[in-house]
Amino acid sequence: MTVHQVQLAAAAATDVGLVRRANEDSALAQWPVYAVADGMGGYEAGDRASAAVIDAFRAHVAGNEVASIAQVRAALADATLAVAAVAETTERGAGSTITGVALVDDDGEPAWLVFNVGDSRVYRHHGTELEQLTVDHSLAQELVDAGELKPEDREQFAQRNVITRAIGGPDSTADSWLLPVVNGERLLICSDGLTGEVSDEGIRATLTMGGRAESVAHALVQRARQAGGRDNITVVVVDVISGGIDEQSDATTGVVRGADAAASDDDHTTIPVRSRS
């Protein structure tokens, strides 16, 4: 099986929500990369920051027959420079999360390179099961990991929106994982405007309903609006139609072999690739 045999259906949906003055989210759903960026810095900079990050991925990754770690690394480096340029024009500075997936070739087999900076998320839905693939770079997640905050109390935590990594921040290191492409799986990439309003169970139920990627994406956005819509809401839904493996248990993944994923310490764009079973 090769990357060229993979067939996908993808859709993106975004909404300003019911409270915010402007939409500071941006999204990309163009083979072979699917991503969401959530900007920070207020209405005069957040939208520009997220757009700059997505533009970097559009320039380096989108439209290629297959993505590579080098392309993703270059996109992250250019995104860092672009957000810094935006920040120089504002008093409050600027930053952005970035999370997504890129279709790569792993020794002749199609695989997902999942990458993340910040607290936007990537989920994987297969059958009726939902799994969060990314780990939030947030104060709340750090407290959960330290055993000082219960996972179920995260949404009531007063500083739940404080993030510890961002493009444009002191630490913009991207975590990444390599996963098999599985027939019938549905990937969800979303900003915290969805996860802040809709529980994982609510997300799972909506993804399980089935239907086209477009209808599911819009249903998720509407669900977040109905729950309060206190933030911008952006989702990208990616369905694997064919060309992957039939069962995830058939896959073997590991660190990308022969690939130099390290960037310099100065630009903070290192993406250490880990396997995730």
Side-chain angles (χ1 to χ4, degrees):
M1 201 70 67
T2 68
V3 172
H4 306 290
Q5 294 174 293
V6 174
Q7 293 187 14
L8 305 174
T14 189
D15 193 277
V16 69
L18 303 176
V19 176
R20 297 296 180 92
R21 295 172 57 185
N23 193 340
E24 298 178 40
D25 290 354
S26 298
L28 177 62
Q30 184 180 349
W31 177 287
V33 61
Y34 307 87
V36 167
D38 182 353
M40 298 165 287
Y43 67 87
E44 83 279 10
D47 56 346
R48 293 163 56 204
S50 68
V53 172
I54 290 298
D55 284 347
F57 276 83
R58 184 178 289 110
H60 286 280
V61 191
N64 292 306
E65 291 185 4
V66 61
S68 70
I69 290 177
Q71 291 167 354
V72 172
R73 184 180 63 183
L76 289 166
D78 274 8
T80 299
L81 295 175
V83 170
V86 172
E88 289 178 356
T89 67
T90 72
E91 294 182 359
R92 298 175 56 185
S96 179
T97 70
I98 179 66
T99 194
V101 298
L103 190 63
V104 301
D105 186 313
D106 179 27
D107 270 4
E109 297 292 332
W112 292 117
L113 176 64
V114 181
F115 53 90
N116 181 60
V117 184
D119 64 349
S120 296
R121 294 178 179 176
V122 177
Y123 289 88
R124 176 183 183 270
H125 181 268
H126 193 249
T128 60
E129 300 298 318
L130 181 71
E131 177 187 9
Q132 182 179 332
L133 300 180
T134 54
V135 178
D136 293 353
H137 298 139
S138 67
L139 178 59
Q141 184 63 51
E142 288 187 356
L143 293 175
V144 168
D145 292 342
E148 299 176 21
L149 180 69
K150 295 180 180 179
E152 58 268 26
D153 294 335
R154 185 180 346 217
E155 294 309 316
Q156 286 71 47
F157 180 54
Q159 295 177 292
R160 64 184 180 277
N161 293 326
V162 176
I163 64 174
T164 55
R165 296 189 203 176
I167 302 296
D171 186 356
S172 60
T173 305
D175 287 337
S176 55
W177 301 263
L178 199 63
L179 295 148
V181 175
V182 180
N183 293 331
E185 70 182 347
R186 169 169 277 173
L187 300 182
L188 169 66
I189 304 108
C190 62
S191 65
D192 66 339
L194 175 68
T195 56
E197 300 287 9
V198 184
S199 67
D200 279 7
E201 175 54 30
I203 291 172
R204 187 198 67 79
T206 304
L207 295 174
T208 301
M209 288 191 309
R212 295 171 60 87
E214 292 88 347
S215 61
V216 172
H218 286 289
L220 287 166
V221 168
Q222 288 305 309
R223 189 157 189 166
R225 280 177 56 89
Q226 291 166 3
R230 291 166 291 182
D231 199 352
N232 308 143
I233 311 148
T234 301
V235 304
V236 174
V237 175
V238 184
D239 292 338
V240 179
I241 309 301
S242 63
I245 61 174
D246 289 330
E247 297 291 341
Q248 189 176 16
S249 59
D250 294 341
T252 56
T253 62
V255 173
V256 175
R257 292 168 289 279
D260 177 13
S264 71
D265 291 337
D266 294 334
D267 58 22
H268 298 288
T269 58
T270 302
I271 48 173
V273 177
R274 309 169 189 167
S275 63
R276 188 184 186 101
S277 57

